[in-house]
């Protein structure tokens, strides 16, 4: 058993350390993520809202850098959320497999308003402000294409003040295909 695990582990490390293809630098990556799901959780009274979502993401990184600037826009039947800018750490740099962790500021716009007799996790505000923690991985598929998987945790104010004690959380995951420009 140990003899078969060691070569497999070495092959995995070699894949992670393999530099990306030596093409001209393409610093901007655009991702279309048609497969997404989310859970919006409010307080005990409001409950939660669950659904499917689609998104568009972007990231800008200079070759060899371990930091990138990114963002996304995702929309569903119940809500639209956007993070115009997040700062992400890409610890492995220019490799075929690129994991990242990031933090940013987010905005949430509910599409449907709750009924007064049955409130839900969408809250009572038109625009909600919060923060985002994200993590994901990109896998280079060829010259310009890459596969992207991302998970996000966002926390929004449910009341008028952005630092209000009444909070709601949005957890989402996305799978998409990207293109380097």
């Amino acid at each position: 058993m140990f003899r078969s695990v060691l070569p497999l582990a070495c092959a995995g490390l070699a894949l992670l350390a393999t530099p990306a293809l030596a093409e001209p630098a393409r610093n901007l990556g655009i991702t279309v993520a048609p497969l997404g799901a989310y859970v919006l959780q409010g307080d005990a009274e409001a409950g939660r809202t669950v659904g499917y979502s689609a998104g568009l993401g972007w990231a800008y990184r200079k070759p060899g850098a371990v930091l990138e600037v990114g963002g996304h826009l995702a929309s569903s039947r119940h809500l639209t959320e956007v993070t115009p800018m997040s700062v992400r750490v890409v610890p492995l740099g220019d490799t075929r497999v690129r994991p990242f962790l990031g933090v940013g500021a987010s905005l949430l716009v509910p599409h449907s308003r709750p009924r007064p007799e049955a409130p839900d996790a969408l809250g009572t505000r038109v625009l909600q402000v919060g923060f985002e923690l994200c993590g994901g991985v990109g896998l280079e598929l060829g010259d310009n294409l890459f596969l992207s998987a991302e998970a996000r945790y966002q926390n929004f104010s449910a009341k008028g003040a952005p630092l209000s004690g009444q909070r709601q959380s949005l957890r989402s995951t996305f799978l998409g295909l990207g293109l380097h420009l």
Side-chain angles (χ1 to χ4, degrees):
M1 173 78 182
F2 180 71
R3 289 181 188 175
S4 63
V5 171
L6 187 58
L8 186 59
C10 289
L13 287 173
L15 179 65
L16 286 175
T18 304
L21 299 174
E23 292 288 320
R26 290 179 177 84
N27 299 337
L28 180 64
I30 303 293
T31 304
V32 176
L35 302 173
Y38 69 91
V39 175
L40 179 64
Q41 181 73 44
D43 60 12
E45 179 183 310
R48 68 182 188 171
T49 302
V50 179
Y52 296 102
S53 185
L56 177 68
W58 56 90
Y60 177 81
R61 184 174 64 87
K62 290 186 177 181
V66 295
L67 288 178
E68 71 180 18
V69 176
H72 71 273
L73 169 75
S75 189
S76 70
R77 191 178 107 190
H78 297 289
L79 56 93
T80 295
E81 53 97 0
V82 62
T83 300
M85 187 177 90
S86 67
V87 177
R88 301 173 180 172
V89 176
V90 185
L92 298 180
D94 294 330
T95 58
R96 186 174 172 87
V97 177
R98 280 195 317 269
F100 68 87
L101 293 172
V103 62
S106 293
L107 303 171
L108 174 73
V109 179
H111 296 182
S112 58
R113 303 292 352 134
R115 298 182 310 268
E117 65 275 3
D120 64 11
L122 291 174
T124 59
R125 301 196 58 226
V126 174
L127 176 65
Q128 298 164 352
V129 179
F131 71 92
E132 168 186 278
L133 298 173
C134 63
V137 64
L139 173 64
E140 296 293 326
L141 297 176
D143 292 340
N144 295 329
L145 294 177
F146 62 93
L147 188 62
S148 175
E150 185 172 351
R152 301 182 194 121
Y153 171 80
Q154 295 163 299
N155 191 294
F156 296 97
S157 169
K159 295 294 179 185
L163 300 176
S164 165
Q166 287 191 312
R167 311 296 293 176
Q168 57 189 356
S169 63
L170 177 65
R171 295 180 308 273
S172 55
T173 57
F174 290 89
L175 182 62
L177 186 63
L179 177 67
H180 292 291
L181 301 177

